[in-house]
Short mmCIF file of all heavy atoms in Angstrom, two decimals:
data_model
loop_
_atom_site.label_atom_id
_atom_site.label_comp_id
_atom_site.label_asym_id
_atom_site.label_seq_id
_atom_site.Cartn_x
_atom_site.Cartn_y
_atom_site.Cartn_z
N PHE A 1 -0.60 9.98 8.41
CA PHE A 1 -0.64 8.67 9.03
C PHE A 1 0.79 8.29 9.44
O PHE A 1 1.66 8.03 8.59
CB PHE A 1 -1.18 7.62 8.05
CG PHE A 1 -2.22 6.71 8.63
CD1 PHE A 1 -3.21 6.17 7.82
CD2 PHE A 1 -2.23 6.37 9.98
CE1 PHE A 1 -4.17 5.32 8.33
CE2 PHE A 1 -3.18 5.54 10.51
CZ PHE A 1 -4.17 5.01 9.68
N PRO A 2 1.11 8.26 10.74
CA PRO A 2 2.45 7.84 11.18
C PRO A 2 2.71 6.36 10.85
O PRO A 2 1.84 5.51 11.05
CB PRO A 2 2.41 8.06 12.69
CG PRO A 2 1.26 9.00 12.93
CD PRO A 2 0.26 8.67 11.88
N LEU A 3 3.89 6.09 10.35
CA LEU A 3 4.29 4.73 10.03
C LEU A 3 5.28 4.25 11.09
O LEU A 3 6.24 4.93 11.42
CB LEU A 3 4.95 4.67 8.65
CG LEU A 3 5.52 3.31 8.23
CD1 LEU A 3 4.42 2.28 8.02
CD2 LEU A 3 6.36 3.44 6.95
N LYS A 4 5.01 3.06 11.61
CA LYS A 4 5.88 2.44 12.63
C LYS A 4 6.36 1.09 12.12
O LYS A 4 5.83 0.53 11.16
CB LYS A 4 5.11 2.24 13.94
CG LYS A 4 4.39 3.47 14.47
CD LYS A 4 5.32 4.49 15.05
CE LYS A 4 4.55 5.65 15.67
NZ LYS A 4 5.45 6.68 16.25
N GLN A 5 7.38 0.54 12.78
CA GLN A 5 7.83 -0.81 12.46
C GLN A 5 8.23 -1.55 13.71
O GLN A 5 8.77 -0.96 14.65
CB GLN A 5 9.07 -0.77 11.53
CG GLN A 5 8.91 -0.07 10.23
CD GLN A 5 9.42 1.34 10.23
OE1 GLN A 5 10.10 1.77 11.15
NE2 GLN A 5 9.08 2.11 9.20
N ASN A 6 7.91 -2.84 13.75
CA ASN A 6 8.55 -3.73 14.69
C ASN A 6 8.53 -5.14 14.11
O ASN A 6 7.88 -5.40 13.09
CB ASN A 6 7.97 -3.66 16.11
CG ASN A 6 6.57 -4.24 16.21
OD1 ASN A 6 6.21 -5.18 15.51
ND2 ASN A 6 5.78 -3.69 17.09
N LYS A 7 9.25 -6.05 14.75
CA LYS A 7 9.45 -7.39 14.20
C LYS A 7 8.13 -8.14 14.04
O LYS A 7 7.90 -8.82 13.03
CB LYS A 7 10.39 -8.19 15.11
CG LYS A 7 10.74 -9.56 14.58
CD LYS A 7 11.73 -10.27 15.52
CE LYS A 7 12.05 -11.67 14.99
NZ LYS A 7 13.02 -12.35 15.91
N GLU A 8 7.25 -8.03 15.05
CA GLU A 8 6.01 -8.79 15.05
C GLU A 8 4.97 -8.16 14.10
O GLU A 8 4.31 -8.88 13.34
CB GLU A 8 5.40 -8.86 16.46
CG GLU A 8 6.21 -9.71 17.43
CD GLU A 8 7.44 -8.99 17.95
OE1 GLU A 8 7.48 -7.72 17.88
OE2 GLU A 8 8.37 -9.69 18.39
N TYR A 9 4.87 -6.85 14.11
CA TYR A 9 3.81 -6.19 13.35
C TYR A 9 4.22 -5.92 11.90
O TYR A 9 3.37 -5.75 11.04
CB TYR A 9 3.43 -4.85 13.97
CG TYR A 9 2.78 -4.94 15.35
CD1 TYR A 9 2.61 -6.15 16.00
CD2 TYR A 9 2.34 -3.79 15.99
CE1 TYR A 9 2.02 -6.21 17.25
CE2 TYR A 9 1.74 -3.83 17.24
CZ TYR A 9 1.60 -5.06 17.87
OH TYR A 9 1.01 -5.12 19.10
N GLY A 10 5.54 -5.83 11.65
CA GLY A 10 6.01 -5.38 10.35
C GLY A 10 5.84 -3.87 10.26
O GLY A 10 5.86 -3.16 11.27
N ASN A 11 5.67 -3.34 9.05
CA ASN A 11 5.34 -1.92 8.88
C ASN A 11 3.86 -1.73 9.16
O ASN A 11 3.03 -2.40 8.54
CB ASN A 11 5.65 -1.45 7.46
CG ASN A 11 7.15 -1.43 7.19
OD1 ASN A 11 7.96 -1.34 8.09
ND2 ASN A 11 7.52 -1.47 5.91
N TYR A 12 3.54 -0.81 10.08
CA TYR A 12 2.14 -0.61 10.40
C TYR A 12 1.87 0.88 10.65
O TYR A 12 2.77 1.66 10.94
CB TYR A 12 1.70 -1.44 11.61
CG TYR A 12 2.35 -1.01 12.93
CD1 TYR A 12 1.65 -0.22 13.82
CD2 TYR A 12 3.63 -1.41 13.28
CE1 TYR A 12 2.21 0.18 15.04
CE2 TYR A 12 4.19 -1.02 14.49
CZ TYR A 12 3.48 -0.24 15.36
OH TYR A 12 4.05 0.14 16.55
N PHE A 13 0.59 1.25 10.47
CA PHE A 13 0.16 2.63 10.67
C PHE A 13 -0.68 2.71 11.94
O PHE A 13 -1.50 1.83 12.21
CB PHE A 13 -0.66 3.10 9.48
CG PHE A 13 0.08 3.10 8.19
CD1 PHE A 13 0.10 1.99 7.36
CD2 PHE A 13 0.83 4.22 7.80
CE1 PHE A 13 0.79 1.99 6.17
CE2 PHE A 13 1.52 4.23 6.60
CZ PHE A 13 1.52 3.11 5.78
N CYS A 14 -0.47 3.75 12.72
CA CYS A 14 -1.30 3.95 13.91
C CYS A 14 -1.46 5.42 14.19
O CYS A 14 -0.55 6.22 13.92
CB CYS A 14 -0.71 3.25 15.11
SG CYS A 14 0.83 3.94 15.72
N ILE A 15 -2.62 5.79 14.69
CA ILE A 15 -2.86 7.18 15.03
C ILE A 15 -3.83 7.26 16.21
O ILE A 15 -4.74 6.42 16.35
CB ILE A 15 -3.42 7.96 13.82
CG1 ILE A 15 -3.52 9.47 14.14
CG2 ILE A 15 -4.76 7.41 13.35
CD1 ILE A 15 -3.73 10.34 12.90
N HIS A 16 -3.62 8.25 17.06
CA HIS A 16 -4.45 8.49 18.23
C HIS A 16 -5.28 9.74 18.00
O HIS A 16 -4.84 10.71 17.40
CB HIS A 16 -3.56 8.66 19.46
CG HIS A 16 -4.27 9.32 20.62
ND1 HIS A 16 -4.05 10.64 20.95
CD2 HIS A 16 -5.18 8.83 21.48
CE1 HIS A 16 -4.80 10.94 21.99
NE2 HIS A 16 -5.50 9.87 22.35
N GLY A 17 -6.51 9.69 18.50
CA GLY A 17 -7.38 10.86 18.51
C GLY A 17 -7.93 11.11 19.87
O GLY A 17 -8.48 10.21 20.50
N GLY A 18 -7.76 12.32 20.36
CA GLY A 18 -8.26 12.66 21.69
C GLY A 18 -8.94 14.00 21.69
O GLY A 18 -8.42 14.98 21.15
N GLY A 19 -10.13 14.07 22.28
CA GLY A 19 -10.86 15.33 22.37
C GLY A 19 -11.36 15.60 23.76
O GLY A 19 -10.91 14.98 24.73
N PHE A 20 -12.31 16.52 23.87
CA PHE A 20 -12.83 16.90 25.19
C PHE A 20 -13.37 15.68 25.96
O PHE A 20 -13.09 15.52 27.13
CB PHE A 20 -13.98 17.90 25.02
CG PHE A 20 -13.60 19.23 24.44
CD1 PHE A 20 -14.56 20.04 23.84
CD2 PHE A 20 -12.28 19.68 24.46
CE1 PHE A 20 -14.22 21.27 23.30
CE2 PHE A 20 -11.93 20.90 23.91
CZ PHE A 20 -12.91 21.69 23.34
N GLY A 21 -14.15 14.85 25.25
CA GLY A 21 -14.77 13.71 25.92
C GLY A 21 -14.71 12.45 25.08
O GLY A 21 -15.64 11.64 25.08
N THR A 22 -13.61 12.29 24.37
CA THR A 22 -13.47 11.10 23.53
C THR A 22 -11.98 10.76 23.38
O THR A 22 -11.14 11.66 23.33
CB THR A 22 -14.08 11.32 22.14
OG1 THR A 22 -13.96 10.14 21.35
CG2 THR A 22 -13.40 12.45 21.39
N GLN A 23 -11.69 9.46 23.30
CA GLN A 23 -10.34 9.00 23.04
C GLN A 23 -10.42 7.75 22.16
O GLN A 23 -11.28 6.90 22.39
CB GLN A 23 -9.62 8.64 24.36
CG GLN A 23 -9.32 9.82 25.27
CD GLN A 23 -8.16 10.67 24.78
OE1 GLN A 23 -7.33 10.22 23.99
NE2 GLN A 23 -8.07 11.91 25.28
N ASN A 24 -9.53 7.65 21.20
CA ASN A 24 -9.52 6.45 20.35
C ASN A 24 -8.17 6.25 19.69
O ASN A 24 -7.38 7.18 19.55
CB ASN A 24 -10.64 6.55 19.29
CG ASN A 24 -10.40 7.56 18.20
OD1 ASN A 24 -10.22 7.19 17.04
ND2 ASN A 24 -10.39 8.84 18.53
N TRP A 25 -7.95 4.99 19.32
CA TRP A 25 -6.77 4.62 18.53
C TRP A 25 -7.24 3.85 17.30
O TRP A 25 -8.21 3.10 17.36
CB TRP A 25 -5.85 3.71 19.33
CG TRP A 25 -4.99 4.37 20.35
CD1 TRP A 25 -5.30 4.55 21.67
CD2 TRP A 25 -3.70 4.94 20.16
NE1 TRP A 25 -4.26 5.20 22.31
CE2 TRP A 25 -3.27 5.44 21.42
CE3 TRP A 25 -2.85 5.07 19.05
CZ2 TRP A 25 -2.03 6.06 21.58
CZ3 TRP A 25 -1.63 5.69 19.21
CH2 TRP A 25 -1.23 6.17 20.46
N LEU A 26 -6.50 4.03 16.22
CA LEU A 26 -6.76 3.24 15.00
C LEU A 26 -5.44 2.69 14.51
O LEU A 26 -4.47 3.44 14.32
CB LEU A 26 -7.42 4.11 13.95
CG LEU A 26 -7.94 3.37 12.71
CD1 LEU A 26 -9.19 4.06 12.17
CD2 LEU A 26 -6.89 3.32 11.59
N TYR A 27 -5.39 1.37 14.33
CA TYR A 27 -4.18 0.68 13.86
C TYR A 27 -4.48 -0.05 12.55
O TYR A 27 -5.56 -0.68 12.40
CB TYR A 27 -3.72 -0.37 14.86
CG TYR A 27 -2.78 0.13 15.94
CD1 TYR A 27 -3.08 1.23 16.73
CD2 TYR A 27 -1.58 -0.52 16.20
CE1 TYR A 27 -2.22 1.67 17.72
CE2 TYR A 27 -0.71 -0.10 17.19
CZ TYR A 27 -1.05 1.00 17.95
OH TYR A 27 -0.21 1.44 18.95
N VAL A 28 -3.53 -0.03 11.63
CA VAL A 28 -3.62 -0.80 10.38
C VAL A 28 -2.31 -1.56 10.20
O VAL A 28 -1.24 -0.94 10.11
CB VAL A 28 -3.85 0.13 9.17
CG1 VAL A 28 -3.85 -0.67 7.88
CG2 VAL A 28 -5.19 0.88 9.31
N LEU A 29 -2.40 -2.89 10.19
CA LEU A 29 -1.23 -3.76 10.06
C LEU A 29 -1.33 -4.54 8.74
O LEU A 29 -1.84 -5.67 8.70
CB LEU A 29 -1.14 -4.75 11.23
CG LEU A 29 -0.72 -4.22 12.60
CD1 LEU A 29 -1.78 -3.34 13.23
CD2 LEU A 29 -0.40 -5.38 13.54
N PRO A 30 -0.85 -3.97 7.63
CA PRO A 30 -0.99 -4.64 6.33
C PRO A 30 -0.39 -6.04 6.28
O PRO A 30 -0.94 -6.93 5.63
CB PRO A 30 -0.26 -3.68 5.37
CG PRO A 30 -0.34 -2.33 6.04
CD PRO A 30 -0.23 -2.63 7.50
N LYS A 31 0.74 -6.26 6.95
CA LYS A 31 1.41 -7.55 6.92
C LYS A 31 0.49 -8.68 7.38
O LYS A 31 0.56 -9.81 6.86
CB LYS A 31 2.66 -7.52 7.79
CG LYS A 31 3.39 -8.84 7.92
CD LYS A 31 4.59 -8.72 8.86
CE LYS A 31 5.25 -10.08 9.09
NZ LYS A 31 6.42 -9.97 10.00
N HIS A 32 -0.38 -8.37 8.34
CA HIS A 32 -1.25 -9.38 8.93
C HIS A 32 -2.70 -9.24 8.48
O HIS A 32 -3.57 -9.93 9.02
CB HIS A 32 -1.17 -9.31 10.45
CG HIS A 32 0.21 -9.55 10.99
ND1 HIS A 32 0.76 -10.81 11.06
CD2 HIS A 32 1.15 -8.69 11.46
CE1 HIS A 32 1.98 -10.73 11.55
NE2 HIS A 32 2.25 -9.45 11.81
N ASN A 33 -2.94 -8.36 7.49
CA ASN A 33 -4.31 -8.10 7.04
C ASN A 33 -5.21 -7.84 8.24
O ASN A 33 -6.31 -8.39 8.37
CB ASN A 33 -4.84 -9.27 6.22
CG ASN A 33 -6.10 -8.90 5.42
OD1 ASN A 33 -6.35 -7.72 5.17
ND2 ASN A 33 -6.87 -9.90 5.03
N LEU A 34 -4.74 -6.98 9.14
CA LEU A 34 -5.38 -6.70 10.41
C LEU A 34 -5.52 -5.20 10.65
O LEU A 34 -4.58 -4.44 10.42
CB LEU A 34 -4.56 -7.33 11.54
CG LEU A 34 -4.91 -6.97 13.00
CD1 LEU A 34 -6.32 -7.44 13.35
CD2 LEU A 34 -3.90 -7.56 13.96
N GLY A 35 -6.70 -4.80 11.10
CA GLY A 35 -6.90 -3.43 11.53
C GLY A 35 -7.79 -3.42 12.77
O GLY A 35 -8.58 -4.35 12.97
N ILE A 36 -7.63 -2.40 13.59
CA ILE A 36 -8.39 -2.36 14.81
C ILE A 36 -8.67 -0.92 15.21
O ILE A 36 -7.83 -0.02 15.02
CB ILE A 36 -7.67 -3.10 15.97
CG1 ILE A 36 -8.50 -3.10 17.26
CG2 ILE A 36 -6.29 -2.54 16.20
CD1 ILE A 36 -7.97 -4.04 18.33
N SER A 37 -9.89 -0.68 15.75
CA SER A 37 -10.26 0.62 16.30
C SER A 37 -10.82 0.42 17.69
O SER A 37 -11.61 -0.50 17.90
CB SER A 37 -11.31 1.28 15.40
OG SER A 37 -11.82 2.47 16.02
N ILE A 38 -10.41 1.24 18.61
CA ILE A 38 -10.94 1.21 19.98
C ILE A 38 -11.32 2.62 20.40
O ILE A 38 -10.54 3.56 20.20
CB ILE A 38 -9.90 0.58 20.96
CG1 ILE A 38 -10.51 0.48 22.37
CG2 ILE A 38 -8.59 1.33 20.95
CD1 ILE A 38 -9.66 -0.37 23.33
#
């Protein structure tokens, strides 16, 4: 799980998945008790 940082998000985890016919991102932002998948 790659760890990133910025002022607004704080420390957050994000990862991309891409295949033959699928693409998605998953983000986890512990500072904001926020997670998102697209």
Side-chain angles (χ1 to χ4, degrees):
F1 227 151
L3 176 66
K4 310 285 185 180
Q5 301 98 12
N6 70 32
K7 184 178 179 180
E8 292 77 21
Y9 295 3
N11 291 338
Y12 68 99
F13 297 91
C14 68
I15 188 166
H16 162 256
F20 296 160
T22 182
Q23 293 284 341
N24 72 114
W25 283 93
L26 189 147
Y27 272 53
V28 175
L29 287 69
K31 176 182 175 180
H32 299 284
N33 196 20
L34 169 64
I36 182 169
S37 172
I38 183 169

